[in-house]
Amino acid sequence: MAHPDTVRSAPIPVPLAAFGVLFASICFGLVPYFSRGLTEQGMAPHAVAFYRYVLTALMLFPVLLAQRANWREILWGVAAGGVMGLGWVGYVAALDAVPASTVGVLYMTYPVFTVLIAWLLFGDRPTTRAVLAAGLIIVAALVAGSPASVPVEQVPLLLVSLAAPLGFGFGICVLVHRLSRIPPLARIASVTFGSFLGLLPLVLTSEPAQLLPQDGAGWALIAGIAILTALVPQLVYTICSPLVGASRTAVIGSVELPTMFAVGVFAFGEQLTWPQLIACALVIGSITLTRSRATRNLATNLSRD
């Protein structure tokens, strides 16, 4: 089978597919805007996470039914989705109090967790470039989360936010090592449904005030986080990334982090600091440095976040 980077003809022109990846990545980067808006209305972080996944999970559920013969792979995807969904709660909680740019840098540490989990659980030894890139990302996280950059009282929230990249790293490893037999759309369906199931008990045991927005603007934010940061960009990314190729997808997709920075500046009035800018440059540099097997499979087969 030809590598996606070598595809010469496609139903969608490559420049248009590249724009699709760019559009999807920008949409993923808008998550902090909707997330903080909902938590400021008193909504619990797990409820925000639930609303992001529920629409995609329900719409793609028929895809899972069509793939029920591959139930082992689906169960792996559901398990990975459950871990990812619960981990995303920490990300939302941190966004409620910590600058979006700082949380964004820490979220982008997921390649480090991917390398470690793939090595420890699946025996997938990392390449030299993957190790170097992971080192750059660790430095970026230390710079962005250092006491000079973040008040001491916010450090626990930053540590909790690492549950999101940990969960996403586990999801990538499951995708690479367990979900290759089912179509890309079924992979998204299984992971998203797993997130839905993982968050459902928290939702069912919550007070109504923690689950429902206060007004019409809150419902608009729910629609935005479900459609604009999940359903639509996931589908666009899944269609377009194989046509663009893994390496270019990774580079284009790195716009997600600057988008988070822009949300922090223009939506929340945050001021960027030199440590945050340096951390952003280190993360983007690490993305362009490495093209590990996990990264290639992620870029071509898995929806982001």
Side-chain angles (χ1 to χ4, degrees):
M1 180 180 294
H3 188 279
D5 284 331
T6 64
V7 174
R8 297 184 179 276
S9 60
I12 300 176
V14 172
L16 182 59
F19 178 79
V21 172
L22 177 65
F23 166 78
S25 300
I26 291 174
C27 288
F28 294 137
L30 295 176
V31 165
Y33 173 79
F34 298 99
S35 173
R36 184 176 293 182
L38 289 169
T39 55
E40 286 178 347
Q41 288 206 0
M43 190 173 293
H46 59 265
V48 176
F50 180 81
Y51 280 121
R52 183 169 188 246
Y53 291 114
V54 62
L55 180 61
T56 304
L58 296 179
M59 290 191 66
L60 295 183
F61 185 70
V63 176
L64 289 186
L65 295 180
Q67 292 291 322
R68 57 186 178 274
N70 297 311
W71 60 270
R72 292 182 180 85
E73 287 79 8
I74 291 175
L75 286 180
W76 270 104
V78 170
V83 174
M84 291 170 62
L86 292 173
W88 209 71
V89 174
Y91 174 72
V92 175
L95 280 172
D96 190 35
V98 181
S101 51
T102 301
V103 180
V105 169
L106 292 185
Y107 181 77
M108 297 299 285
T109 61
Y110 68 83
V112 177
F113 293 103
T114 303
V115 168
L116 289 175
I117 294 171
W119 188 12
L120 295 176
L121 295 186
F122 299 101
D124 188 358
R125 299 183 65 86
T127 65
T128 301
R129 284 191 176 188
V131 173
L132 291 175
L136 285 177
I137 292 174
I138 291 173
V139 172
L142 292 174
V143 169
S146 67
S149 306
V150 177
V152 175
E153 61 270 17
Q154 292 183 352
V155 172
L157 280 174
L158 291 181
L159 295 177
V160 170
S161 75
L162 290 175
L166 171 63
F168 192 40
F170 177 68
I172 293 170
C173 292
V174 169
L175 162 77
V176 173
H177 296 281
R178 293 292 183 267
L179 302 188
S180 60
R181 289 183 54 190
I182 58 178
L185 200 59
R187 298 168 201 171
I188 298 175
S190 63
V191 171
T192 307
F193 191 70
S195 299
F196 165 79
L197 291 180
L199 292 165
L200 186 60
L202 295 176
V203 171
L204 294 178
T205 56
S206 298
E207 297 294 332
Q210 296 179 301
L211 303 177
L212 300 176
Q214 297 176 358
D215 50 32
W219 286 110
L221 289 172
I222 288 176
I225 202 170
I227 298 173
L228 190 58
T229 77
L231 178 62
V232 170
Q234 283 175 347
L235 294 177
V236 171
Y237 195 89
T238 301
I239 294 170
C240 294
S241 59
L243 306 178
V244 175
S247 58
R248 284 176 290 178
T249 293
V251 173
I252 296 172
S254 65
V255 75
E256 180 179 355
L257 183 56
T259 301
M260 294 181 188
F261 278 39
V263 169
V265 172
F266 295 109
F268 306 137
E270 299 172 357
Q271 292 186 350
L272 296 180
T273 64
W274 278 109
Q276 291 169 335
L277 293 173
I278 292 171
C280 180
L282 288 171
V283 169
I284 294 176
S286 72
I287 291 172
T288 59
L289 172 67
T290 183
R291 289 178 58 196
S292 66
R293 180 152 58 99
T295 302
R296 289 199 300 270
N297 281 277
L298 167 68
T300 55
N301 295 320
L302 182 67
S303 67
R304 292 295 298 275
D305 307 83

